[in-house]
Amino acid sequence: MSLKTSLKFSLIYTIVIILQALSISLASLPQDVFHLKIASKIRTDEQSLSSVSTDFGNLTTSIPDAVLYPSSPHDISRLIRFSYTSSNPFSIAPRGNGHSLNGQAFAPDGVVINMKSLGYGHSNRINVSIVNRYADVGGEQLWIDVLHETLKYGLTPRSWTDYLHLTVGGTLSVGGISGQTSRYGPLISNVHELDVITGKGEMLTCSKDQNSDLFLAVLGGMGQFGIITRARIILSPAPQKVHWIRLVYTDVVTFTQDLERLISKENSEGSPLRLFNYVEGSFLGDRGLLGSWRSPEFFTDRDYDRMSQLVTEDGLGGVYYIEGAVYYTDKTAVQVNQKLELLLGALSYVPDFAFIHNVSYVEFLDRVHDGELKLRELGEWEVPHPWLNLFVPKSRILDFDTGIIKAFLSNTSAAGIIIIYPMNRNKWDDRMSTMIPDEEIFYTFEVLYSASKENLQALIDENEKILKFCNLAGIKYKQYLPHYATTKGWMKHFGKKWNNFLAMKAKYDPRLILSPGSRIFSSY
């Protein structure tokens, strides 16, 4: 297909999609839905509707017409199939733990599916194969529960998110990244097989060998093509303990050089530079050297005082730090400690600013939850979260640092953290729906702030300034957890994948029933 023909197809099909979306957005829930066999599991009471009308972002609200509490994937299939065959199809959105930011799990004038209901009273939704080293996991299961179950067999998933109290299906629908991504790939690169319910109500099993187009589209597909009800997750032998390390830097060039050395494909298997199983980086602004909700007790007050003094003496806007984790067992402890000493000697952090904690594997992986519990105690968890997540090409990361981090983020006093660390493109399957920059190494940049009524609009405006700077500077970023208000924005986001995205939507959700909250094909 020529470029001209491709663009013509894209334009025509986009217009058709939008017209369909407009017609669907006018439809409300037909009363016949309450005559289905699953009617007893569909609730319209105020408490049920209110429980799904907002999300972790706390930036917007949308009340659906009903909530489905399924007992099995068949219940979900029946609901979707009814909508698909109806003269007035209604929207349907799966909701796991509600950790979306901009209403991605909303279903205005439709039905939200409480996915966690699938696990109520069922003890067989996580099944571990010791021989084949995989776990069959219900899409509604939390990663923390997957961790505890697999550890019973001495096994563990290889890759993670930083926050484990998310559902498996919800995470796989966006990608799933963390400090393990540079080593093991994102979560979507660590899946063998999926059970998916499409926008037609079909229940399909898919993998790279079976219904491969659906498999690749669903992973990172933001719920547009199907609802994940089971995932087969790759496992590996589990460690027991972790050296949890933070190394402080005052110079962004040295900081990024060391980060890139740590994730380099050129590191040989036995090299100390390959020792970290997890690598992330962060920036702490001068006014923000107050600790982090992600790990509130890692640095002591004295540590923060020393870093603040470092910033003051050198006239800096803040400090950077590399966060690393080295997994080990009692049997490997001596050898790992020797390699760790060599590794620290090869890096260029500020002398005497290496901080090391020794914790259990579970304590390290579940570290963010500790911060959550403390914020809940203070009443500061269920607040607006105007987060921004970008993938930035390596070639522009220093421009990004100068124009954004140093220009205005270093002066913010908002509660939260700024994360910045590199990943390797070869760890991703570009056939999947998640979009990443074209360069071999790219950085994730995350502004994870908790807002108050007083500073919410200022933080939203700050995010717009960041995007405006990138656009004016020609920085070809990609949004992670993307959010766009126009079809044009989505077309730009998907770029060369847009036509395939449309084709998969036409094949697996032709009536635009699933996950309207992303507003890819509709607005409300």
Side-chain angles (χ1 to χ4, degrees):
M1 183 182 294
S2 68
L3 178 60
K4 184 177 180 180
T5 303
S6 176
L7 291 173
K8 183 178 180 181
F9 166 81
S10 177
L11 177 60
I12 293 173
Y13 192 71
T14 300
I15 292 172
V16 172
I17 286 284
I18 292 171
L19 290 175
Q20 288 180 336
L22 290 174
S23 66
I24 289 173
S25 67
L26 298 176
S28 58
L29 194 64
Q31 290 303 299
D32 285 351
V33 74
F34 298 104
H35 298 150
L36 298 173
K37 290 183 179 180
I38 57 172
S40 63
K41 302 171 185 178
I42 300 175
R43 300 180 190 172
T44 59
D45 60 281
E46 183 178 350
Q47 182 176 353
S48 295
L49 299 182
S50 177
S51 69
V52 298
S53 64
T54 188
D55 58 17
F56 179 74
N58 266 310
L59 301 174
T60 184
T61 60
S62 178
I63 300 176
D65 284 351
V67 181
L68 173 68
Y69 291 81
S71 300
S72 72
H74 291 281
D75 293 340
I76 300 173
S77 175
R78 291 187 182 101
L79 179 70
I80 297 176
R81 190 164 58 249
F82 175 82
S83 179
Y84 175 68
T85 57
S86 172
S87 58
N88 291 305
F90 51 88
S91 62
I92 297 172
R95 176 189 171 98
N97 229 19
H99 208 75
S100 53
L101 299 176
N102 292 285
Q104 287 92 339
F106 290 170
D109 299 319
V111 181
V112 170
I113 300 173
N114 184 321
M115 295 297 291
K116 292 175 69 175
S117 179
L118 288 172
Y120 297 164
H122 298 283
S123 59
N124 63 340
R125 296 290 289 168
I126 305 176
N127 294 291
V128 177
S129 172
I130 302 174
V131 175
N132 297 306
R133 288 188 180 176
Y134 66 70
D136 280 326
V137 179
E140 80 288 348
Q141 295 295 310
L142 300 182
W143 286 105
I144 184 65
D145 296 323
V146 176
L147 172 64
H148 287 304
E149 185 64 24
T150 57
L151 285 178
K152 293 177 182 178
Y153 306 91
L155 298 171
T156 177
R158 300 184 303 182
S159 192
W160 294 99
T161 66
D162 280 326
Y163 180 57
L164 301 190
H165 295 254
L166 306 173
T167 59
V168 169
T171 311
L172 294 178
S173 72
V174 295
I177 61 172
S178 74
Q180 290 95 350
T181 302
S182 60
R183 183 76 173 268
Y184 307 104
L187 282 171
I188 55 175
S189 294
N190 288 272
V191 180
H192 282 313
E193 186 178 273
L194 300 172
D195 283 345
V196 174
I197 304 175
T198 72
K200 297 178 182 180
E202 302 168 306
M203 301 177 67
L204 299 176
T205 296
C206 56
S207 66
K208 288 185 178 181
D209 300 317
Q210 178 183 7
N211 298 312
S212 59
D213 62 343
L214 179 62
F215 180 76
L216 296 170
V218 165
L219 292 171
M222 295 175 289
Q224 293 302 306
F225 315 108
I227 296 174
I228 298 170
T229 58
R230 178 187 65 90
R232 180 164 289 179
I233 308 298
I234 299 172
L235 303 179
S236 61
Q240 298 169 319
K241 300 176 182 178
V242 177
H243 290 309
W244 184 10
I245 302 153
R246 288 183 180 173
L247 310 172
V248 175
Y249 293 73
T250 57
D251 171 56
V252 67
V253 174
T254 307
F255 167 70
T256 54
Q257 285 178 344
D258 273 1
L259 277 171
E260 290 165 20
R261 290 175 66 205
L262 288 168
I263 71 159
S264 174
K265 295 183 296 182
E266 307 305 319
N267 293 334
S268 61
E269 187 62 38
S271 170
L273 288 172
R274 194 176 168 84
L275 188 62
F276 281 164
N277 301 95
Y278 163 106
V279 180
E280 286 194 7
S282 295
F283 174 80
L284 286 175
D286 185 19
R287 298 176 63 186
L289 284 168
L290 302 173
S292 163
W293 59 267
R294 287 163 51 91
S295 49
E297 295 179 351
F298 188 95
F299 291 126
T300 66
D301 290 342
R302 182 174 178 275
D303 295 334
Y304 281 112
D305 287 342
R306 290 179 62 214
M307 285 189 284
S308 294
Q309 186 177 359
L310 189 67
V311 169
T312 302
E313 289 176 351
D314 292 353
L316 306 171
V319 296
Y320 307 85
Y321 66 80
I322 290 177
E323 183 171 48
V326 181
Y327 303 160
Y328 65 101
T329 64
D330 290 334
K331 291 182 178 180
T332 62
V334 174
Q335 182 182 13
V336 165
N337 289 340
Q338 292 172 344
K339 285 189 175 182
L340 179 57
E341 186 175 350
L342 292 174
L343 171 61
L344 295 180
L347 298 176
S348 301
Y349 57 91
V350 179
D352 299 324
F353 278 83
F355 304 89
I356 302 177
H357 287 197
N358 298 309
V359 296
S360 73
Y361 182 60
V362 173
E363 283 177 312
F364 173 72
L365 291 180
D366 202 28
R367 62 201 178 281
V368 177
H369 186 54
D370 292 337
E372 174 193 347
L373 295 177
K374 294 182 185 303
L375 288 180
R376 286 190 182 278
E377 288 178 6
L378 298 172
E380 297 177 3
W381 180 256
E382 294 179 354
V383 298
H385 297 99
W387 288 7
L388 181 66
N389 301 266
L390 303 179
F391 291 148
V392 182
K394 169 193 168 181
S395 63
R396 302 304 301 275
I397 197 63
L398 297 184
D399 297 330
F400 197 88
D401 176 78
T402 301
I404 294 175
I405 295 179
K406 288 188 172 64
F408 50 90
L409 291 184
S410 61
N411 296 318
T412 186
S413 58
I417 190 168
I418 298 168
I419 299 175
I420 179 170
Y421 62 91
M423 292 181 279
N424 291 307
R425 182 179 179 84
N426 72 321
K427 297 295 184 179
W428 297 68
D429 189 331
D430 198 41
R431 298 172 297 171
M432 295 177 182
S433 293
T434 303
M435 294 301 299
I436 58 177
D438 290 333
E439 295 185 10
E440 179 53 38
I441 293 178
F442 60 92
Y443 279 74
T444 182
F445 170 79
E446 304 173 20
V447 183
L448 309 182
Y449 286 151
S450 297
S452 62
K453 291 181 179 179
E454 290 73 24
N455 69 358
L456 174 59
Q457 190 57 51
L459 294 177
I460 292 175
D461 292 343
E462 188 174 87
N463 288 344
E464 290 300 318
K465 289 179 182 178
I466 292 173
L467 296 177
K468 183 178 180 180
F469 171 85
C470 289
N471 291 330
L472 291 175
I475 297 176
K476 296 181 179 180
Y477 66 88
K478 292 295 180 183
Q479 285 193 29
Y480 179 69
L481 308 178
H483 174 63
Y484 297 95
T486 66
T487 300
K488 183 179 179 181
W490 285 109
M491 291 177 68
K492 181 179 179 181
H493 172 75
F494 285 109
K496 62 185 180 182
K497 292 185 184 180
W498 176 246
N499 284 349
N500 184 65
F501 198 88
L502 292 179
M504 290 299 97
K505 188 69 171 177
K507 182 176 181 179
Y508 291 109
D509 185 23
R511 304 201 73 181
L512 312 182
I513 291 169
L514 299 177
S515 301
S518 294
R519 306 187 189 188
I520 300 176
F521 304 108
S522 64
S523 61
Y524 56 89

